[in-house]
Amino acid sequence: MGSGAMGSGAMGSGAAGSGPGHGAPLCPSPPPPAPRCSRGSRRLSETGAGPRRSEGAAGRGGLRAAASLPHIARGRGEEGGGRRSPCLLVALRPRNVEAERERFFRASFAYDPQFEYAEPVPAAVLDKYGAASDRFVAQAIRIIRAVLEKYGTYESFEVATGGRLLSKCQIWSVIRKYMQKEGCVGEVVVQLTDDLLSQAVMMVEDSRPTLAINLAGARQHWLEGMLRHEIGTHYIRGVNNTRQPWHSSEGRKQYSLKPANPTEEGLASLHSVLFRKQPFLWRAALLYYTIERASHLSFSALFQDLEQYVQDAGVRWEYCVRAKRGQTDTSQPGCFSKDQVYLDGILRILRHRQTIDFPLLAALGKVSYEDVNRLKEFGVLEKARIPHFMQDLERYMKQLDHIVTTNGLNEEELEQLLPD
């Protein structure tokens, strides 16, 4: 994975949809390798479950700026004589995932992978994410079926609403323009890679905010939504958070803050689909459903269950790996439930959207929507960054209403699901 500096003048400003010979910018020179995932690296966020459909070697490139759904990073061997503790991403990715994938497909899907890990997965992590919720399963299924009813298959939905895959040069152009909108050109390291099982992942590497983007998921009409998720939500709230009296764990305790999630990921996920003509919450819904089913099923049974919604076997494999990560013997029921946070957070925010001060929610940093009103008198709001897409708040609120309607939700249902 390479990285490059995204400062002003780093590239031209060709149109996002332009191709060779039609105003596309020149690609930057190959940059030096990015830092390895080590003690100096921590994941802040990860976008979507954008699985790789093939093992083709997509080109790699890199850029500069920073934070989302847990990316399953490739394991790395130990370097030098000192033993290093792997970051959570490495610990959660089975080191034999490719070998088990091949065995699973050779067995015509009638095999339950036996995963191995470079290091034991921390017991505290497994305990925290070992139980699935079924609270919003009915809503998840309804969203999934609404997409299939309209588009026939997920694959058709992806092509119809996502548009064509962009070249690296076109991706750089979109990213540069977005960074300019948010006033953060030169602040974040951006990496283009084909190694992610998600669409994107935000990290801090060696104290630098770093965004890795999956080339296979960078589609014409979806890329800016991913940037709203990662930069417009995670990064901007993170920058604002550093200026608040609750920026440290001690400060959060002092002000009795609720956890940032599910607000953080719910808000970011809503921003991913904001301004789409058909803002279906497919990915959040399918992740939620997959994890709930994984808690009751073996890997092979889960894979078979998902066929009713996703025909592509490679895509189903990736969703199943995400839901079963942390397990060794996947013939047993069990899940890694973290990915349920997206739909959970989405529904909570939509339920209370009429009373949430969204610009203030961004300005106060990494806080829950439930804490906003009581924290505003203590917050440092001078020079706070507000995402550019929140500037027209009336339009923003109309888009949230559109998301509710498109996904078959309604006020009465949300109130019953999430009473005050």
Side-chain angles (χ1 to χ4, degrees):
M1 179 188 301
S3 64
M6 188 52 177
S8 54
M11 64 177 64
S13 57
S18 60
H22 290 80
L26 296 176
C27 289
S29 301
R36 290 177 181 269
C37 188
S38 66
R39 282 179 177 170
S41 172
R42 63 189 177 91
R43 180 186 56 75
L44 296 181
S45 85
E46 182 183 54
T47 304
R52 295 169 292 166
R53 282 187 171 77
S54 69
E55 301 303 318
R60 298 179 184 179
L63 188 110
R64 283 192 45 108
S68 170
L69 183 146
H71 146 53
I72 309 177
R74 289 185 182 277
R76 302 194 187 272
E78 291 176 9
E79 300 178 51
R83 184 179 180 84
R84 288 184 174 185
S85 299
C87 66
L88 180 60
L89 301 185
V90 173
L92 284 174
R93 180 182 174 89
R95 65 182 178 184
N96 64 335
V97 68
E98 299 300 343
E100 287 299 276
R101 183 184 192 278
E102 185 177 345
R103 186 173 180 181
F104 179 77
F105 278 76
R106 279 203 316 265
S108 300
F109 318 137
Y111 166 71
D112 292 304
Q114 303 296 299
F115 289 136
E116 300 171 359
Y117 300 88
E119 296 282 347
V121 180
V125 172
L126 294 180
D127 289 344
K128 183 176 181 179
Y129 298 114
S133 170
D134 63 359
R135 187 174 192 176
F136 306 122
V137 165
Q139 289 69 38
I141 292 173
R142 187 190 313 152
I143 292 167
I144 293 167
R145 288 178 175 171
V147 171
L148 297 180
E149 182 177 341
K150 184 173 182 64
Y151 294 97
T153 65
Y154 169 71
E155 291 75 20
S156 297
F157 164 70
E158 186 177 65
V159 172
T161 64
R164 65 180 177 277
L165 289 170
L166 299 178
S167 70
K168 285 186 289 184
C169 292
Q170 291 167 342
I171 295 170
W172 289 133
S173 178
V174 174
I175 294 171
R176 175 180 172 79
K177 288 180 177 179
Y178 186 84
M179 297 295 191
Q180 289 173 335
K181 289 179 184 178
E182 298 295 8
C184 60
V185 171
E187 296 180 9
V188 185
V189 175
V190 179
Q191 304 167 345
L192 303 185
T193 179
D194 61 350
D195 286 347
L196 300 185
L197 296 186
S198 57
Q199 288 187 332
V201 57
M202 195 67 132
M203 302 169 287
V204 172
E205 286 192 333
D206 294 341
S207 300
R208 298 181 304 171
T210 302
L211 171 62
I213 296 174
N214 187 348
L215 285 164
R219 290 188 172 272
Q220 179 183 8
H221 304 308
W222 287 359
L223 181 56
E224 183 157 338
M226 184 277 293
L227 295 172
R228 286 194 298 269
H229 182 122
E230 299 293 349
I231 303 299
T233 311
H234 293 307
Y235 177 64
I236 286 180
R237 273 169 52 96
V239 169
N240 289 336
N241 195 72
T242 63
R243 307 176 67 245
Q244 304 303 336
W246 46 80
H247 70 274
S248 65
S249 58
E250 293 78 11
R252 296 187 72 87
K253 291 177 183 176
Q254 179 184 345
Y255 285 87
S256 303
L257 263 62
K258 296 180 183 295
N261 271 321
T263 295
E264 179 77 15
E265 294 298 353
L267 186 65
S269 298
L270 285 169
H271 292 164
S272 293
V273 302
L274 206 66
F275 306 125
R276 289 186 189 174
K277 291 181 180 179
Q278 300 292 334
F280 283 108
L281 298 164
W282 165 277
R283 190 167 287 109
L286 187 58
L287 284 169
Y288 192 97
Y289 173 84
T290 301
I291 288 165
E292 194 280 330
R293 298 308 299 147
S295 68
H296 301 286
L297 300 174
S298 68
F299 190 107
S300 57
L302 177 64
F303 186 87
Q304 183 176 359
D305 183 271
L306 289 184
E307 187 176 11
Q308 63 184 310
Y309 301 131
V310 181
Q311 282 69 54
D312 189 303
V315 173
R316 274 185 284 151
W317 163 265
E318 303 292 4
Y319 273 93
C320 290
V321 170
R322 294 184 68 84
K324 287 289 189 178
R325 56 185 162 173
Q327 278 192 287
T328 301
D329 178 8
T330 67
S331 68
Q332 300 301 310
C335 68
F336 187 77
S337 67
K338 187 179 189 304
D339 289 352
Q340 287 194 318
V341 73
Y342 301 98
L343 187 62
D344 186 301
I346 285 168
L347 295 180
R348 291 177 191 277
I349 290 172
L350 291 177
R351 158 69 173 88
H352 296 284
R353 70 189 185 282
Q354 303 299 343
T355 57
I356 294 173
D357 185 330
F358 286 97
L360 192 57
L361 182 60
L364 291 174
K366 302 283 188 173
V367 302
S368 168
Y369 73 87
E370 297 172 274
D371 287 333
V372 167
N373 288 337
R374 71 177 183 85
L375 291 177
K376 58 185 175 183
E377 65 178 295
F378 306 109
V380 178
L381 302 179
E382 185 181 2
K383 297 182 180 178
R385 295 191 184 187
I386 306 299
H388 79 279
F389 50 84
M390 280 187 188
Q391 303 299 329
D392 185 342
L393 195 56
E394 182 179 357
R395 183 185 182 216
Y396 179 88
M397 296 301 294
K398 285 181 179 178
Q399 289 299 315
L400 295 185
D401 292 342
H402 184 41
I403 291 171
V404 169
T405 303
T406 299
N407 289 276
L409 304 171
N410 62 70
E411 305 305 325
E412 182 179 356
E413 176 185 33
L414 291 172
E415 290 174 5
Q416 289 176 351
L417 279 171
L418 297 161
D420 289 326

